[in-house]
Amino acid sequence: FTNIIYGRINAYVTSNIIYDIKTLLFKSMQKLSINFYLNKQTGNLMTRVSGDTDNIQEFFHDGIPELFTNVVIIIIVVITMFIQNTLLTIISLSTTPILLIVSLKIFPIIKKKYTSMYISRSLLNSLVNDVLMGFRVVKAFGKEKEEIGRFSKSSSYVKKLEYNLAKFTNLIFQSMNILMISSSIIIWGFGGWQVINGQMEFGMLITFTGYVALINRPLIYMVQTTNWWSNAMNSAGRIFEILDSLPDVIEKKNPIVKRKFDGLIEFKNINFSYEANKNILHNINMIIEPGEVIGIVGRSGAGKSTIANLLMRMYDTTKGEIRIDGVNIKNYAFKCLNKNIGMVMQDVYLFTGSIYENIAYAKPSSSMEEIINAAKAAFAHDFILKLPYGYDTVIGKNAQSLSGGEKQRLSIARTILHNPKILILDEATSSVDTKTEKQIQKAIDILVSGRTVISIAHRLSTLNNADRIFVIEKGRIIEFGTHRELMGIKGEFYEMYIKQKKALELGGVIYT
Ligand code: ADP
């Protein structure tokens, strides 16, 4: 009966502890800045949320209660032994210090072995994750065999480490066993000799061997717990590494919450580097008026996306400040920046769920009517209705069944619903063909009205309607002005424009 109660309490406590740890871990991960994710492999992070918490769960569920019972048994039995026969107790426990010293020595070795096993397991997870995410590339290049080879190599390495660890722990535990059995032999030898000489009663000897048998099992268990303990502590260490990490970008205490921005953006002497001593942006100065549409152009790697990242506070500037409506963005609450700044990106990320849920992601409280209106404004309504279950059609993580243009229009619908005052278009049309680009452009034209827009464009033709264009080269603004002005000065923009025009004309596209 008490076992039933114990089992229930244990199950309740353990599952709650694990739930708390997982929630805390996930919350901490969400708080961390983008840099944290860029530096970690997804497989590794997944192992932390599931594998590591499972290790701790096991320890809480089976390890700690047994540990407690066994410690109590050992203490009571040893005290009883001492009361009955001190000399025989000392002899019986003569092997225990060796046991403890060996356990302490072995503990770091096992811990190290667990760490290497963990690293190789998470590398294996990352490999599987990579291949699953990139399966199109694997198929396209016919690399299935190579990938199987890579997997087998990594998997067999994990197997080797697991086997070595099991061999090692087995050897240790069996040696400990022998040590404990030898303590029984010593008692039989010494006690037997005393019984023969009439110095001890036979009953006392039998009682003592019984006591030793009683504490042997808990002692073996305690030694095995070192193994468990190492594993759980390793996992706890990795969990705390995340819980204790501080985000690079921190929200100010008592931040300003402004419901709706006017949309005035100022970049003042912005310098920025991702890594120390490698400046990516140099003295960027821009003032963007509310409702203005500006374009940012430049070669790949010039720093265009970095400017957008800084405005969204994915990173903080190294020097200089960005102001929105005259206030440094560091003073605004995160939720206020998120609410007022929206982004349409080149790679659209859609979550597993229905089309409806994916559009409503920006504003879960939206009514069906609002969602349909947003989809209509994004020219997505018609293709959504053609899907088997319309707005209820479930799309996978990568929405394989949708074309690039369709995904893009869904993301535009999402942004229309989000309704931010400041909009960043990060090469939103560069991954689609020119026909789709025209459709998306129409949707974007609706999206941009009434907002301050920063459009990072690859195709310069998409910037025909921009009020002003900034040309960035190696992190510096080298030209700015209207389309006409930039064409007039015949500088970098002019050259890029002419080159693109020629390239597209060669491909049979009329450039307007
Ligand atoms: P663009 O958008 O103009 O193509 P980016 O702003 O993405 O250029 O990148 C500018 C430079 O910053 C590039 O040299 C790029 O390699 C570097 N960079 C971008 N992101 C990171 C990062 N997370 N860590 C380190 N360097 C980065």
Side-chain angles (χ1 to χ4, degrees):
F1 180 66
T2 47
N3 270 348
I4 293 176
I5 296 179
Y6 156 75
R8 284 203 173 186
I9 295 177
N10 193 7
Y12 177 79
V13 172
T14 313
S15 49
N16 271 294
I17 289 177
I18 295 310
Y19 167 80
D20 285 349
I21 295 181
K22 278 190 181 167
T23 314
L24 206 63
L25 190 61
F26 195 71
K27 264 193 198 159
S28 304
M29 279 186 181
Q30 298 295 314
K31 259 192 246 150
L32 291 172
S33 318
I34 201 153
N35 233 356
F36 170 83
Y37 292 94
L38 292 177
N39 293 332
K40 300 258 182 319
Q41 285 170 309
T42 354
N44 181 316
L45 291 177
M46 304 258 282
T47 321
R48 290 195 201 200
V49 179
S50 51
D52 282 336
T53 40
D54 286 348
N55 282 344
I56 294 181
Q57 174 165 24
E58 202 179 308
F59 187 65
F60 270 112
H61 189 270
D62 303 321
I64 288 190
E66 286 275 329
L67 188 71
F68 179 74
T69 329
N70 288 326
V71 168
V72 172
I73 292 177
I74 292 172
I75 292 174
I76 292 177
V77 172
V78 169
I79 290 175
T80 317
M81 285 166 78
F82 264 111
I83 292 171
Q84 297 203 348
N85 190 330
T86 316
L87 183 63
L88 204 55
T89 310
I90 295 172
I91 291 173
S92 315
L93 299 179
S94 57
T95 52
T96 314
I98 307 176
L99 205 70
L100 291 177
I101 292 170
V102 173
S103 304
L104 288 177
K105 290 264 174 225
I106 295 297
F107 182 72
I109 302 178
I110 298 187
K111 196 162 177 238
K112 223 165 114 188
K113 285 186 182 285
Y114 266 115
T115 309
S116 20
M117 202 170 75
Y118 169 83
I119 294 173
S120 59
R121 268 189 193 157
S122 60
L123 283 176
L124 181 67
N125 278 353
S126 301
L127 190 148
V128 174
N129 190 46
D130 255 9
V131 173
L132 295 183
M133 298 291 281
F135 78 93
R136 277 169 182 271
V137 182
V138 175
K139 287 269 169 219
F141 285 90
K143 290 283 182 192
E144 292 91 339
K145 262 202 187 128
E146 279 87 340
E147 291 303 341
I148 294 172
R150 221 151 63 94
F151 178 83
S152 303
K153 202 170 147 203
S154 181
S155 188
S156 77
Y157 186 62
V158 173
K159 179 190 76 178
K160 200 174 107 195
L161 292 183
E162 281 172 349
Y163 178 56
N164 280 344
L165 180 67
K167 255 190 341 191
F168 182 73
T169 48
N170 187 38
L171 177 73
I172 297 300
F173 296 145
Q174 296 321 322
S175 315
M176 304 266 183
N177 241 339
I178 292 173
L179 211 61
M180 283 187 224
I181 292 168
S182 59
S183 77
S184 290
I185 297 172
I186 294 171
I187 296 171
W188 276 111
F190 179 78
W193 178 68
Q194 281 207 324
V195 171
I196 291 168
N197 287 335
Q199 288 159 322
M200 195 202 307
E201 282 180 22
F202 184 60
M204 179 61 84
L205 178 61
I206 294 294
T207 315
F208 253 78
T209 49
Y211 285 148
V212 171
L214 207 60
I215 55 169
N216 264 355
R217 201 190 66 84
L219 276 177
I220 292 178
Y221 180 85
M222 300 277 278
V223 174
Q224 275 176 349
T225 316
T226 36
N227 188 19
W228 237 342
W229 175 254
S230 315
N231 198 12
M233 281 305 106
N234 253 339
S235 295
R238 282 187 298 266
I239 288 176
F240 277 108
E241 196 193 323
I242 294 182
L243 295 184
D244 294 342
S245 301
L246 291 175
D248 301 333
V249 179
I250 301 168
E251 187 173 49
K252 206 184 154 198
K253 276 201 180 118
N254 304 320
I256 299 174
V257 181
K258 189 171 176 182
R259 245 182 60 92
K260 195 91 189 153
F261 284 166
D262 302 329
L264 169 68
I265 306 170
E266 295 162 90
F267 284 82
K268 295 203 157 219
N269 293 321
I270 300 299
N271 284 273
F272 177 72
S273 54
Y274 289 102
E275 296 148 24
N277 302 325
K278 199 175 159 218
N279 230 9
I280 299 289
L281 296 180
H282 310 263
N283 282 328
I284 298 287
N285 281 294
M286 290 193 282
I287 297 180
I288 308 163
E289 299 294 336
E292 196 178 13
V293 175
I294 69 138
I296 297 186
V297 299
R299 292 176 212 285
S300 176
K304 305 181 293 293
S305 304
T306 306
I307 294 179
N309 288 341
L310 291 179
L311 180 61
M312 297 186 80
R313 268 204 95 190
M314 302 262 187
Y315 300 89
D316 272 339
T317 52
T318 317
K319 244 167 63 191
E321 62 175 32
I322 302 176
R323 291 184 188 171
I324 297 180
D325 297 347
V327 176
N328 189 330
I329 55 169
K330 288 183 186 170
N331 295 329
Y332 284 118
F334 281 157
K335 70 168 185 224
C336 167
L337 291 175
N338 296 342
K339 175 86 197 64
N340 281 285
I341 307 178
M343 192 170 196
V344 178
M345 283 178 272
Q346 185 179 354
D347 13 298
V348 177
Y349 193 87
L350 297 168
F351 294 94
T352 307
S354 65
I355 297 264
Y356 173 89
E357 286 164 337
N358 264 292
I359 299 179
Y361 190 73
K363 192 180 155 206
S365 60
S366 320
S367 66
M368 190 67 205
E369 198 186 341
E370 282 177 284
I371 298 215
I372 292 178
N373 284 342
K376 278 185 179 160
F379 297 94
H381 182 67
D382 290 344
F383 88 76
I384 294 174
L385 287 189
K386 282 189 197 132
L387 294 172
Y389 300 100
Y391 281 85
D392 291 325
T393 311
V394 173
I395 45 177
K397 192 168 52 172
N398 290 324
Q400 305 299 348
S401 49
L402 299 180
S403 74
E406 288 167 343
K407 281 192 249 178
Q408 194 61 274
R409 275 175 283 164
L410 281 188
S411 101
I412 293 174
R414 196 192 262 172
T415 313
I416 290 177
L417 205 62
H418 178 189
N419 193 18
K421 188 68 198 175
I422 295 169
L423 179 66
I424 299 166
L425 303 171
D426 193 354
E427 317 219 66
T429 54
S430 65
S431 65
V432 293
D433 56 78
T434 359
K435 185 168 161 262
T436 319
E437 182 188 335
K438 287 238 160 68
Q439 288 173 333
I440 295 175
Q441 198 56 50
K442 273 204 291 189
I444 287 182
D445 288 343
I446 292 177
L447 178 64
V448 300
S449 72
R451 306 179 207 277
T452 308
V453 180
I454 297 181
S455 174
I456 297 170
H458 182 69
R459 293 211 182 127
L460 303 183
S461 60
T462 54
L463 291 179
N464 282 351
N465 299 331
D467 296 315
R468 274 183 308 153
I469 296 167
F470 290 80
V471 185
I472 311 278
E473 195 177 276
K474 294 189 182 138
R476 289 189 167 81
I477 298 177
I478 52 162
E479 285 170 17
F480 67 95
T482 60
H483 198 280
R484 185 187 286 254
E485 282 166 359
L486 290 179
M487 292 301 280
I489 57 172
K490 294 207 160 60
E492 182 66 24
F493 182 80
Y494 175 82
E495 259 182 44
M496 281 163 63
Y497 191 89
I498 298 295
K499 257 192 215 152
Q500 261 195 19
K501 190 173 165 188
K502 277 196 185 135
L504 287 174
E505 275 169 4
L506 273 178
V509 177
I510 305 299
Y511 207 56
T512 51

